[in-house]
Amino acid sequence: MALFPTHTGMVDLLPGETEKWQYLESLVREVARRYHFKEIRTPILEPTEMIARGVGQLTDIVSKEMFAFDRGDDHYVLRPEGTASVCRAYVQHHLDQRGGAQRLFYIGPMFRAERPQKGRQRQFHQFGAEILGSADPLADAEIIAFMVEVYRLVGITNMKLNINSVGDPESRQRYRETLVAYFTPVKDKLSEVSKTRLEVNPMRILDSKEEEDQAWIADAPVITDYLNQECRDHYEQVKAHLNALGIAFIEQPRLVRGLDYYTKTAFELTSPDLGSQDALGGGGRYDLLVEELGGAPTPAVGFASGMERLMIACEALGLPLGESAKPEVYIACHGQAARAWALSQADVLRKQGISCLFDTGGRSMKAQMKEADREHATWCLLVGDTELTSGHFVLRNMSTSTEETLDLSAIHERVRL
Ligand code: HAM
């Protein structure tokens, strides 16, 4: 047991795993390139008031799951998600003045003090994309296509896209009143969480996983019956664009999201390979958020996905995820002079773009050969005093176990092939 293990829900990523992460991150970047989204990096610590205002005071994230602290007069929070930060940056740096809709993506750690379980951590990682400055249903389709394309490129096909429209404030107000009228007579039969939600945020009852709520939820009125014409038209067009792209979806009129900023489109991508935390990613439209954070009215839409969950899905499917890097040349050296020579020779090879490793621990030739083998080196160069004097070295091909004696320029030529 380590003397100081990580906090619960915080995970080290070790060599062997980091290569897989790099590989998946490179695929996300590749999709971003193809869809022409540009990267944005925002601070991990954000002003607490901004996150509370953006994500919503009454959400679980803000009311229960924030890692927040004060320093002097400043209130800091470890960001629980990326969308509010992106909107803050958009307002702060006047990104609207750059012209056109802003197409931004990000990859990075997020923090929520949830109860950890498989696929749920306190520090986790998201990749996500946002389009700010477009109300067009085409933008919703672009965002969903970006998200789905990442999984397609990785090789995950077994997934479900659930979609809904949560309307605008006007539609939602009418729906909210209907829901309150529906749930109030059966309030006593609802779970404790849902009783509270009935007071503060009745739509969130639909998201309850509690057994006793399910029958009531199944018969509850659905928001799609309360959408005004504008929201209805928008939703129809989003679905038409998805159909045109061949992206299959399932309408889930009871889909609600855990963040308060959504308007109109809301969606979630789930996978049966994940277990109980089955959401690979989710998102939607948030036409009022930029204004809420002090900017001009700016319609926007985006998604975010969990990297850990993507990893779990890949592992469940046995998908290959990039290999550990191997040294091209291992210099095994005997004696002090050879070790000093290895340092400068490795420098020469590395400057030519060749990855190179040598022993810094003064170990025996046998131990060094073992390491060359363990690290799957392509070549092993054997150096001792005799070789240094003669200028001829033994170069061992590690996969065929054959050896040649060559001078330095011939070695450079051979390992560069
Ligand atoms: P979210 O649904 O809260 O949305 O999170 C998106 C994804 O992040 C989830 O589907 C899940 O894969 C992953 N995730 C969330 N919490 C955890 C956790 N504790 N451990 C591991 N993975 C987790 C958002 O964050 C919105 N910002 C999405 C968005 C972008 N909406 C518009 N633009």
Side-chain angles (χ1 to χ4, degrees):
M1 187 62 180
L3 191 51
F4 301 110
T6 54
H7 281 296
T8 176
M10 312 254 166
V11 174
D12 293 315
L13 292 172
L14 304 176
E17 293 164 290
T18 45
E19 293 84 357
K20 298 178 186 172
W21 280 71
Q22 286 169 15
Y23 170 74
L24 290 178
E25 286 163 5
S26 74
L27 292 190
V28 173
R29 288 177 189 283
E30 173 57 17
V31 177
R33 188 190 67 77
R34 293 184 192 175
Y35 282 75
H36 197 63
F37 280 63
K38 294 180 180 168
E39 186 177 7
I40 182 163
R41 299 189 190 194
T42 56
I44 284 168
L45 290 174
E46 287 283 3
T48 310
E49 303 85 336
M50 187 281 286
I51 293 291
R53 175 86 83 95
V55 173
Q57 205 76 54
L58 300 176
T59 57
D60 285 353
I61 295 178
V62 170
S63 62
K64 299 188 205 152
E65 299 167 358
M66 302 242 279
F67 286 104
F69 64 93
D70 296 338
R71 219 181 143 79
D73 291 337
D74 295 323
H75 310 299
Y76 295 84
V77 65
L78 287 161
R79 62 181 188 192
E81 58 106 51
T83 311
S85 305
V86 169
C87 292
R88 177 201 47 69
Y90 179 88
V91 175
Q92 186 171 339
H93 305 289
H94 310 287
L95 295 186
D96 55 324
Q97 289 172 14
R98 295 192 172 195
Q102 295 299 304
R103 301 160 72 88
L104 305 167
F105 83 96
Y106 49 88
I107 307 177
M110 309 289 164
F111 303 83
R112 297 183 192 175
E114 298 188 86
R115 200 165 40 80
Q117 60 182 90
K118 188 178 177 207
R120 191 160 80 187
Q121 294 174 188
R122 292 188 161 184
Q123 173 172 344
F124 60 100
H125 299 77
Q126 282 185 343
F127 61 92
E130 320 281 348
I131 299 180
L132 293 102
S134 173
D136 197 310
L138 278 173
D140 306 53
E142 280 271 88
I143 282 292
I144 293 173
F146 182 135
M147 176 175 73
V148 169
E149 182 58 13
V150 172
Y151 296 94
R152 196 196 63 79
L153 207 60
V154 172
I156 293 174
T157 45
N158 194 8
M159 51 191 184
K160 269 196 335 199
L161 175 66
N162 299 312
I163 177 165
N164 194 17
S165 173
V166 295
D168 58 7
E170 186 218 343
S171 310
R172 223 170 14 243
Q173 182 55 30
R174 282 191 291 138
Y175 179 55
R176 197 187 145 100
E177 284 161 15
T178 314
L179 270 190
V180 172
Y182 170 81
F183 281 119
T184 304
V186 295
K187 184 176 173 185
D188 291 347
K189 304 206 166 60
L190 296 176
S191 67
E192 287 308 311
V193 219
S194 292
K195 278 181 195 148
T196 320
R197 286 179 174 171
L198 185 57
E199 308 289 327
V200 293
N201 193 354
M203 276 178 75
R204 293 279 297 146
I205 297 178
L206 304 179
D207 208 22
S208 162
K209 303 277 177 292
E210 305 296 323
E211 192 57 43
E212 60 264 53
D213 298 332
Q214 298 313 313
W216 305 108
I217 292 172
D219 288 338
V222 293
I223 185 143
T224 31
D225 291 337
Y226 294 81
L227 297 178
N228 58 25
Q229 197 57 44
E230 194 209 325
C231 294
R232 209 178 287 261
D233 289 347
H234 193 277
Y235 189 31
E236 288 308 316
Q237 288 181 56
V238 173
K239 289 185 284 180
H241 292 323
L242 293 177
N243 281 328
L245 286 172
I247 297 176
F249 58 85
I250 302 164
E251 285 185 70
Q252 292 283 7
R254 293 191 181 83
L255 173 71
V256 285
R257 307 254 312 123
L259 303 102
D260 272 356
Y261 47 62
Y262 291 109
T263 51
K264 297 183 178 159
T265 316
F267 55 85
E268 232 157 48
L269 192 68
T270 62
S271 159
D273 299 316
L274 288 182
S276 70
Q277 298 301 310
D278 68 348
L280 284 167
R285 183 161 274 289
Y286 49 93
D287 288 345
L288 305 172
L289 180 56
V290 171
E291 207 177 340
E292 185 71 33
L293 297 177
T298 307
V301 59
F303 85 90
S305 281
M307 284 291 288
E308 285 78 6
R309 294 191 191 177
L310 171 59
M311 196 68 73
I312 293 170
C314 288
E315 278 168 1
L317 295 170
L319 297 174
L321 293 178
E323 285 184 16
S324 268
K326 298 168 185 161
E328 285 158 274
V329 179
Y330 188 100
I331 306 177
C333 29
H334 181 67
Q336 198 53 40
R339 274 207 295 280
W341 182 89
L343 175 68
S344 53
Q345 235 350 270
D347 187 51
V348 172
L349 288 168
R350 288 165 181 162
K351 286 191 168 119
Q352 294 174 17
I354 292 163
S355 70
C356 194
L357 179 66
F358 64 94
D359 175 51
T360 50
R363 288 175 300 171
S364 69
M365 280 303 256
K366 195 172 159 207
Q368 294 179 58
M369 295 298 289
K370 255 193 182 163
E371 179 169 56
D373 213 34
R374 194 175 60 239
E375 292 295 323
H376 304 289
T378 316
W379 302 100
C380 186
L381 183 60
L382 303 152
V383 189
D385 290 339
T386 330
E387 285 78 10
L388 288 182
T389 321
S390 71
H392 284 80
F393 303 84
V394 174
L395 184 68
R396 184 179 172 86
N397 181 323
M398 296 297 285
S399 54
T400 59
S401 300
T402 50
E403 291 181 352
E404 290 171 284
T405 303
L406 301 166
D407 67 14
L408 211 47
S409 64
I411 288 170
H412 280 202
E413 232 165 76
R414 190 62 45 92
V415 301
R416 242 184 274 127
L417 289 178

